Amino acid sequence: MTPAAERALAEAAERRAAIDARAAEIAARRETQGRGGLEPVRYADWEVKGLAVDF
């Protein structure tokens, strides 16, 4: 692999780790009167029926 490709893969892994850490942080908080399941804004998008809406 080229150095650029290796760098891109490393950056993608870092972003994924940050997203997973944020999702774990959100999941650890107790939601009051929520809809159940995963927090819809865990990827900074709103999710409705499985479709993410970025606003």
Side-chain angles (χ1 to χ4, degrees), residues 1 10-11 21 32 35 39 47 51:
M1 259 195 264
E11 290 172 4
T32 56
R35 64 177 186 89
E39 179 65 30
E47 182 182 297
L51 301 173

Side-chain angles (χ1 to χ4, degrees), residues 14-36:
E14 289 175 18
R15 283 193 303 271
R16 171 51 69 187
I19 288 171
D20 291 343
R22 175 149 167 73
E25 176 187 321
I26 290 171
R29 289 188 244 147
R30 180 159 163 65
E31 186 176 354
T32 56
Q33 297 180 351
R35 64 177 186 89

